[in-house]
Amino acid sequence: MKPAVLITKRIYPEAVDLLRSRFEVDYEATDDGMTAEQLRERIRGKQGVVSQLTDKFTRDVLATLEGIRVIANVAVGFDNVDVAAATEAGILVTNTPDVLTDTTADLAFALMLAAARRLVEGHHFVHSGEWKKWAIDLLVGQDVHHRTLGIVGLGRIGQAVARRAGGFSMRILYSDAFRASEQAERELKAEFVPLERLLGESDFVSIHVPLSAATRRLIGAEQLRLMKPTAILVNTSRGPVVDEGALAEALRGGVIGGAGLDVFEQEPKVHPGLLNQPRAVLAPHIGSASVETRRKMSMMAAENALAALEGRRPPNLLNPEAWERRSEKTA
Ligand code: DGY
């Protein structure tokens, strides 16, 4: 009998076709998420799941899944899956790194430029017909070039942002749990500093850490107070890394100068203090949303699921321990 796969939400059709060519596929082309109960129900009798960041595979959910061999997440982030619990349950977990690095870095830069140069305010000003004359200080913003950029998390996406910043002749500071190699620091002209110093010296702070217990609310009221009153905070990582209430308050009180946000604590809800805040440029979690990248992410997840269900090690495996344990059993 062919293995059965659940695709939880809409993905690019070629990825669905690939899975259908080898497996029984349960797929509804919908963007609606599933509750834990619905997820459990639909997964029953399947061996693989192609999931998205809105599907929550908590320890409790994972404990009830029988026969599942792989969860192939269509995202680089995997905070929606308790990977330790999946490993214990012998479930392989995969993600879609690399293909979205440059696309996400582009959006971080777009948010930085838009917030600094008040692009969204300008857009509304023109569309609403308010623009009547040119004035010397009409919508004056901040320069990005030759300013200091603080990158929190110099992983793949953080490095891609640093490369773009080089083109804008920016000074680059970074903080991270681990220091980058000397070669990377030299190439990117990035200086490793403690987070407090980065916050105090940067004109722009761009966040690129994964969400974990250590990074949840990494930026709260205390950290925002360390920033310059003109500084702009950009977040394209995960919403809960920033305390949204504290950020709304900091923008309202002029503690910092602006924000460019693609991610939120409780998507698709946005803190009311950020809505209608002219200094906050907001996007609906579209960091990796180019046609090419989202198509590649869909295909990568399908290929990961395919490999796992055909007994091959998936290319983007997050928990090799689960694979090794499985190989020991079959040896
Ligand atoms: C990811 O891949 O983690 C993004 O946030 C979703 O595209």
Side-chain angles (χ1 to χ4, degrees), residues 53 75-77 100 237-238 285 288 294 297:
L53 51 91
V76 67
L100 48 64
S237 63
R238 283 292 184 265
H285 203 144
S288 60
R294 286 284 167 85
M297 289 165 69

Side-chain angles (χ1 to χ4, degrees), residues 24-104:
E24 290 299 329
V25 174
D26 175 0
Y27 176 59
E28 282 169 24
T30 170
D31 298 320
D32 295 336
M34 281 189 223
T35 61
E37 203 35 61
Q38 289 165 329
L39 206 51
R40 278 195 198 104
E41 195 50 44
R42 291 277 296 281
I43 284 178
R44 192 162 298 139
K46 314 275 178 356
Q47 288 72 48
V49 189
V50 174
S51 61
Q52 295 190 31
L53 51 91
T54 44
D55 303 314
K56 306 287 179 216
F57 290 96
T58 59
R59 182 172 283 275
D60 284 353
V61 169
L62 289 164
T64 62
L65 304 183
E66 276 172 27
I68 281 292
R69 288 169 14 212
V70 61
I71 297 173
N73 219 28
V74 190
V76 67
F78 48 88
D79 46 282
N80 59 313
V81 184
D82 185 330
V83 179
T87 306
E88 284 166 34
I91 301 172
L92 306 178
V93 184
T94 65
N95 68 342
T96 59
D98 302 320
V99 289
L100 48 64
T101 299
D102 283 313
T103 306
T104 308

Side-chain angles (χ1 to χ4, degrees), residues 70 80 83 118 137 157 164 209 235 258 263 274 277 293 296:
V70 61
N80 59 313
V83 179
R118 306 180 63 183
D137 59 354
I157 299 174
R164 283 155 179 73
V209 289
N235 189 11
V263 288
L274 293 174
Q277 163 54 261
T293 295
K296 283 184 195 156

Side-chain angles (χ1 to χ4, degrees), residues 138-190:
L138 176 62
L139 286 172
V140 284
Q142 300 190 43
D143 280 327
V144 172
H145 65 87
H146 294 95
R147 308 296 293 282
T148 298
L149 169 64
I151 298 178
V152 182
L154 197 71
R156 285 177 292 243
I157 299 174
Q159 293 193 19
V161 169
R163 279 193 289 278
R164 283 155 179 73
F168 282 72
S169 307
M170 297 180 90
R171 171 182 173 233
I172 301 166
L173 305 177
Y174 81 96
S175 74
D176 206 327
F178 302 99
R179 190 166 178 171
S181 67
E182 260 180 52
Q183 193 193 343
E185 286 187 356
R186 213 177 22 252
E187 275 171 18
L188 299 169
K189 297 196 179 66

Side-chain angles (χ1 to χ4, degrees), residues 206-227:
S206 193
I207 302 176
H208 301 286
V209 289
L211 177 62
S212 69
T215 62
R216 189 173 288 275
R217 298 217 161 169
L218 182 68
I219 306 294
E222 197 185 317
Q223 290 70 30
L224 292 161
R225 271 196 300 274
L226 296 176
M227 292 172 67

